[in-house]
């Protein structure tokens, strides 16, 4: 079964209407945290896929985690 249909059925099973479920799949809204966690634990949708569910469903895989790059360290100035 197609991934989009599986997720849709799971959202409906969790009590969302068809209209709300489609809204979640388009990335306009996000399900409740408890639903996201349940779908993650059951291996249906990775937790971070909800950051950009459209990309995930279009086959681009789970989106990259937000960058936590450190700011450049202050370099000592030349004393000359």
């Amino acid at each position: 079964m197609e991934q989009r249909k599986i997720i849709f059925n799971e959202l409906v099973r969790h009590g969302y209407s068809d209209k709300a479920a489609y809204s979640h799949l388009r990335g306009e809204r996000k399900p409740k945290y408890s639903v996201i966690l349940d779908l993650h634990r059951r291996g249906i949708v990775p937790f971070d896929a909800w950051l950009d569910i459209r990309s995930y469903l279009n086959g681009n895989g789970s989106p990259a985690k937000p960058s936590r790059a450190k700011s450049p360290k202050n370099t000592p100035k030349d004393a000359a």
Side-chain angles (χ1 to χ4, degrees), residues 10 13-14 32-50 56:
E10 289 295 325
R13 187 181 73 76
H14 276 281
K32 293 186 290 187
Y33 175 77
S34 60
V35 174
I36 292 173
L37 192 58
D38 178 57
L39 296 178
H40 172 74
R41 287 181 175 160
R42 292 176 40 220
I44 297 171
V45 183
F47 191 86
D48 62 343
W50 290 102
Y56 176 76

Side-chain angles (χ1 to χ4, degrees), residues 30 47-52 62-70:
K30 289 186 178 37
F47 191 86
D48 62 343
W50 290 102
L51 294 173
D52 188 0
S62 187
K65 293 183 180 178
S67 174
R68 296 185 184 249
K70 296 179 181 176

